[in-house]
Amino acid sequence: MTKTKSAEAPTLGNTHVREYLDYLSAVRGVSERTLSAYGQDLSHFCNYCHNHGIEPEKATPEEVRLFIGDLSADGNASVSVNRRLSSIRGYYRWLQRFSFRTDDPSSPIKNLKTPKTLPAFLWEAEMAHFSELPDKAGILWPERDKALILVMYSAGLRISETASLSLPKLEKDISGARIMGKGNKERQVFFSEEARLALISYLEARQEKIKAERPTDRLFISLKGAPLSVPGLRWIINKYGERSGLGKNVNPHSLRHSFATHLVNSGCDVRVVQELLGHSSISTTQRYTHVNIEGLRKVYTKAHPHGGQRKQ
């Protein structure tokens, strides 16, 4: 079996694929990041088809299955393979919808099994310690970084939502904001009093960094006054994660996971958490209901004198 040429730079020469991506952007309101991922996935599939003398629009279920099999054989993780299969499914559903073909060759193909893992999160005491790091570490920009950590955590924001958050979207009393989430869905989020006070302190310092010739209304900016990008935000959080001494891989998504876990553990209705997180499906939110039990089990196993012993 010939392996996919995943090392090659993907090319997007298929007219229907380009039209599909335009549709996702203009009609479905898909974000640039997601659109880029779909384009990469479909480019690799089109390259594979062309290398094997197949027209992507006329591929059979067996040919799609062979592509998925080659991805696995190349050592791609099951999560990555399933993501590419999802992109292919979306493309063929679009072809069906607009009568470019009558069937979906990807429909008989099942997702690969993936290991079930609980989201990484910080316990309340760990989160309190992490949010105090900017005051103690003496690195980067303490006022900004403290506000950044507390805003992301207290509102459960995605990193992309944090990067795009602008001053006009803040409530007048800095108690919350309107967030544009996935699929261009807007939702209301709230800031804790600690986050609100940190934001007020940061906004005063922020004003001094704004350049008159290049003003920006983005909330979080660099020391040079430019809007912080997603990679920039990730780098800042990761930097404090390295300094935390918590022994955990603390990243931007850890703050969102911690927000959801703490709400669920405090008895908050899972549908309220779903609304605050901006999840389209309740099943995505329900995984947090299992975090507390599993976390308690780990604490028990580690702390109890007989917790690690099994009955013979």
Side-chain angles (χ1 to χ4, degrees), residues 69-119:
D70 278 3
L71 288 175
S72 297
D74 283 347
N76 289 279
S78 54
V79 172
S80 176
V81 175
N82 288 341
R83 190 203 69 211
R84 291 194 179 180
L85 179 56
S86 176
S87 297
I88 292 170
R89 284 184 181 132
Y91 175 53
Y92 281 120
R93 283 196 295 267
W94 178 81
L95 288 175
Q96 274 189 294
R97 179 176 181 180
F98 291 95
S99 303
F100 291 114
R101 69 178 292 162
T102 58
D103 66 324
D104 175 3
S106 66
S107 61
I109 304 170
K110 296 182 179 179
N111 279 5
L112 302 184
K113 290 185 178 180
T114 57
K116 293 183 178 180
T117 57
L118 291 172

Side-chain angles (χ1 to χ4, degrees), residues 183-236:
N184 286 334
K185 294 180 180 178
E186 193 175 54
R187 71 182 189 280
Q188 176 72 44
V189 298
F190 308 97
F191 302 145
S192 66
E193 180 62 13
E194 188 179 11
R196 191 181 79 86
L197 293 176
L199 263 179
I200 291 173
S201 177
Y202 160 63
L203 286 172
E204 293 177 358
R206 176 188 180 280
Q207 190 59 36
E208 299 176 3
K209 305 290 184 183
I210 294 296
K211 309 238 182 246
E213 68 275 13
R214 289 186 301 156
T216 176
D217 65 358
R218 291 290 179 89
L219 177 57
F220 291 109
I221 61 173
S222 70
L223 284 166
K224 294 183 178 180
L228 279 174
S229 63
V230 167
L233 288 170
R234 184 177 290 110
W235 185 84
I236 292 169

Side-chain angles (χ1 to χ4, degrees), residues 172-184:
K172 290 183 179 180
D173 60 356
I174 321 295
S175 62
R178 298 295 299 177
I179 297 294
M180 187 63 70
K182 286 186 175 181
N184 286 334

Side-chain angles (χ1 to χ4, degrees), residues 54 203 279:
I54 304 166
L203 286 172
H279 284 160

